[in-house]
Amino acid sequence: MAKKELSKKTLKKSFWNWFYGNLTCFSQEHMQTFGYLVSMLPVVEELYDNKDDQKKAMETYTAFFNTEPQIGTVVVGITAGLEEARANGEEIDGEMINGIRAGLMGPLAGIGDSLIVGTLIPILLGIGLGLSEGGSPLGAVFYIIVWNVLAIFGMRMLYFKGYELGGKAVEMMVGEKANAIRESVIMVGTIVIGAVAASWINVTTAFKMVNSEGGTIIDLQSTLDGIFPKLLSALTVIFCWWLMKKKKLSPTIVMLILVIIAFAGVLLGIFNPGLSY
């Protein structure tokens, strides 16, 4: 019997299905499961002619799956390679494939969130904000183009590299070296987020105590600057982190809270109206 091999056309279709559909029918119960099914469908259809075999193979991918979509592309590529090996009679079953998927999705989510969400996106947004000064649309254009180019080519490379490596990619993704890389990326991401916060968040107070003759007794902002420059900005960042991390509030709710605080601060004379906080 001739060896079954996935065509480039099928692999490309599988990749694009994941690229556009990784969050298809997203829910708390299934997360990215349906997106995974959509991406594996062309793979299974090419490898198996019998409908019952196709159905049995697809049942493997109905298990819960959720990871960082960009870095997680490599898992889809790996399982495409494993499915090809299974179709050629190698001792690979659905339990083994799901074990590999379950074992990879957690570590890759940590790596992806640190590298993509915590590092790459803040860097691109920081550059875009700088280019947008004065109302220029160049920043938005820069972010849209650069992000999509990096996402498409990066995810495509990961998919095909995962397919080529198959099960051998597991040790690369979750081994000791991968853990060291993950910790390094987390550190870099933390530094980048801190730099972005220091550069773009500027919270100041207009509160002053004056005497009967109109002279200033206490200028609160000058006093705070003498103690710790940009102290209010740092406290604002910590406050937002506390609300989202500890109190589990959504970013939208946090923004509404900041608006309420700013509004009340203007009414009480703590902030100056018309300034950016």
Side-chain angles (χ1 to χ4, degrees):
M1 185 176 67
K3 182 179 179 180
K4 297 179 180 180
E5 186 174 353
L6 292 169
S7 64
K8 289 289 185 182
K9 180 180 179 181
T10 296
L11 290 172
K12 288 179 180 178
K13 185 176 181 181
S14 173
F15 163 70
W16 284 114
N17 283 358
W18 174 257
F19 182 84
Y20 286 115
N22 56 72
L23 298 179
T24 299
C25 300
F26 189 91
S27 69
Q28 293 299 318
E29 181 181 0
H30 300 288
M31 296 293 186
Q32 297 169 348
T33 302
F34 293 112
Y36 211 116
L37 284 167
V38 170
S39 66
M40 291 303 296
L41 183 60
V43 171
V44 170
E45 287 179 337
E46 182 173 48
L47 291 174
Y48 304 98
D49 298 323
N50 185 285
K51 290 294 183 182
D52 289 335
D53 291 339
Q54 291 178 0
K55 180 180 177 181
K56 184 178 179 181
M58 287 300 292
E59 286 176 353
T60 300
Y61 306 102
T62 58
F64 176 86
F65 185 80
N66 185 52
T67 191
E68 199 284 318
Q70 282 73 48
I71 299 297
T73 307
V74 71
V75 184
V76 187
I78 290 171
T79 50
L82 293 174
E83 192 62 59
E84 182 183 82
R86 176 163 69 166
N88 283 299
E90 295 191 24
E91 295 183 2
I92 297 173
D93 57 18
E95 186 177 347
M96 176 184 176
I97 293 175
N98 273 326
I100 291 174
R101 292 203 310 154
L104 285 175
M105 67 181 184
L108 290 182
I111 293 172
D113 288 343
S114 301
L115 183 62
I116 305 298
V117 180
T119 304
L120 179 60
I121 290 178
I123 289 174
L124 294 180
L125 286 174
I127 296 173
L129 287 169
L131 295 174
S132 297
E133 288 187 1
S136 171
L138 186 59
V141 173
F142 166 83
Y143 180 81
I144 292 170
I145 293 176
V146 174
W147 165 249
N148 279 282
V149 168
L150 292 177
I152 291 172
F153 286 99
M155 291 173 70
R156 190 179 188 278
M157 180 196 72
L158 288 172
Y159 179 92
F160 281 95
K161 183 57 67 175
Y163 168 70
E164 292 172 9
L165 294 173
K168 296 178 182 178
V170 176
E171 178 60 26
M172 294 178 60
M173 295 295 108
V174 297
E176 292 184 5
K177 292 183 178 179
N179 289 333
I181 293 173
R182 179 185 175 186
E183 293 300 322
S184 300
V185 169
I186 290 173
M187 184 177 294
V188 172
T190 303
I191 294 171
V192 170
I193 291 175
V196 170
S199 300
W200 294 103
I201 297 177
N202 184 30
V203 180
T204 59
T205 178
F207 181 80
K208 296 180 181 180
M209 292 184 65
V210 297
N211 56 29
S212 58
E213 298 176 356
T216 301
I217 301 174
I218 296 177
D219 185 332
L220 182 57
Q221 185 60 49
S222 297
T223 303
L224 293 175
D225 287 341
I227 299 171
F228 192 115
K230 292 201 171 184
L231 176 61
L232 292 179
S233 300
L235 291 176
T236 301
V237 173
I238 295 172
F239 176 63
C240 292
W241 169 83
W242 179 75
L243 290 174
M244 290 187 286
K245 181 69 175 179
K246 301 299 182 180
K247 296 300 181 180
K248 308 298 182 182
L249 298 182
S250 69
T252 303
I253 298 299
V254 173
M255 285 189 287
L256 288 174
I257 291 174
L258 293 178
V259 169
I260 293 171
I261 292 173
F263 182 75
V266 170
L267 293 179
L268 296 172
I270 299 174
F271 302 133
N272 278 331
L275 293 178
S276 299
Y277 301 109

